[in-house]
Amino acid sequence: MTDPDPATEDYPIVIQDLLHYLGPRTSLDDKSAVALPVAAIKALLQVVQRSKANTMMGLQDELKESSQSMLDYALEGTLLGRSHIALASGCELFLKYITRTFLETPDFDACKGQVLERGEHFAGISLAARDRIANVGHGFIRDGQTVLTHGWSRVVAALLLKAAETTHFDIVILEGRPDAAGAKAAALYAQEGIPTKVVLDSAMGYVMESVDLVLVGAEGVVENGGIVNKMGTFALAVNAQESNVPFYVAAESYKFARLYPLHQKDLPTMGGLNQQHLDFVDTASWHRTGREGPSTKKQENKDTSTQEAPKTVSGIVTIPKIVKVDNPPCDYTPAKYITLLFTDLGVLTPSAVSDELIRLYQ
């Protein structure tokens, strides 16, 4: 471990460890980036390393407290809380792993040593999950096809870039409001030489008849084989089924969550983005005015002194406060709309997810 960042010294030490393993946010194509659940597992290993507990129950209590601290931190919004489902799954899986190790090795000191040794191995396997998923899924993309995707997912990017090594295909990507994740991802794919087109989220039905498959990531894979992912994924899946286009999901097994939603309202509360705030921009007006952005140019007045022009953006739509704004970050896509899941456990049908969850947590 390196010395803590002074900017995080007020946080609990487990949060400092979490931020250390996540590292600074860099470009989308940073292949060294660590997924949030993997960083959490590494932070929990540090809890085990520091623990002064003399019993397994004491150690488990410390790990549960640390896990809750990370979840609370994620829900505050600092970690873009839509990822907290995967974070919760990673922590829960690690806690189950601790219990299993204790049952195999009743001696506490020996058990603690086993946890640290196997835990590092477990974290290493999780880090390699993206490469395994790319290897099992890239063969489903064939020459001449067009792939429609949504938002930004590192595992989806790994799969697409792996396929591009041997296959020529096009990508159509939804813009990805409100954070323009799809538009940002498009730049990366284009830099890699893949023909890429960005369309509005609302155009998904229009472009569906011109694509061969849909590929998305997931924030969480739930017990019934459905997924929780960036807002708009459910509508995309419904459109795909209506057009007889296969809908594939790429997701790591540590995102398998013991949740069983039946409706959108069954999803757990998510932090991250301010759900009551969303700016609306008339982009057509913005283009007509020459893409005027925030202006800081000095303007001369009559007495030759200077002043700053007001910082305004042409095209901003002002909404009265009496109008409510709802900005949920994720939606739930039922299993019936999903063709296959590409995971580090192999290619799975949605119905196989529950069996894999039993194996993971038994």
Side-chain angles (χ1 to χ4, degrees), residues 31 38 81 84 93 101-102 113 143 195 202 220 243 299 316:
K31 294 179 173 58
V38 177
H84 91 279
L93 190 61
T101 305
F102 178 66
D143 272 318
S202 53
S243 299
Q299 294 183 344
I316 285 287

Side-chain angles (χ1 to χ4, degrees), residues 276-297:
Q276 278 69 51
H277 176 77
L278 186 62
D279 288 326
F280 296 90
V281 181
D282 177 357
T283 53
S285 173
W286 185 59
H287 278 274
R288 284 196 302 270
T289 56
R291 300 186 180 187
E292 292 177 359
S295 174
T296 58
K297 292 181 179 178

Side-chain angles (χ1 to χ4, degrees), residues 25 70-82 84 270-274:
R25 292 180 182 176
M70 289 189 286
L71 288 170
D72 291 343
Y73 181 73
L75 286 170
E76 287 173 3
T78 312
L79 294 177
L80 295 178
R82 64 190 181 97
H84 91 279
M270 299 184 194
L273 300 171
N274 185 339

Side-chain angles (χ1 to χ4, degrees), residues 310-326:
K311 294 183 178 182
T312 59
V313 177
S314 177
I316 285 287
V317 179
T318 303
I319 299 177
K321 291 183 178 180
I322 59 173
V323 177
K324 296 181 179 179
V325 174
D326 192 11

Side-chain angles (χ1 to χ4, degrees), residues 48-99:
V48 176
Q49 184 76 49
R50 289 189 299 266
S51 176
K52 304 298 183 184
N54 296 314
T55 65
M56 192 62 203
M57 184 173 293
L59 178 59
Q60 286 179 318
D61 287 343
E62 288 184 22
L63 289 169
K64 288 178 182 178
E65 182 180 350
S66 297
S67 296
Q68 190 59 52
S69 293
M70 289 189 286
L71 288 170
D72 291 343
Y73 181 73
L75 286 170
E76 287 173 3
T78 312
L79 294 177
L80 295 178
R82 64 190 181 97
S83 296
H84 91 279
I85 293 178
L87 173 62
S89 298
C91 290
E92 186 178 4
L93 190 61
F94 184 77
L95 289 171
K96 183 64 180 178
Y97 171 79
I98 294 290
T99 302

Side-chain angles (χ1 to χ4, degrees), residues 251-274:
E252 304 91 328
S253 60
Y254 53 70
K255 291 182 177 178
F256 285 18
R258 294 201 290 183
L259 299 172
Y260 205 100
L262 298 176
H263 308 284
Q264 304 298 333
K265 296 299 183 183
D266 294 333
L267 295 180
T269 302
M270 299 184 194
L273 300 171
N274 185 339

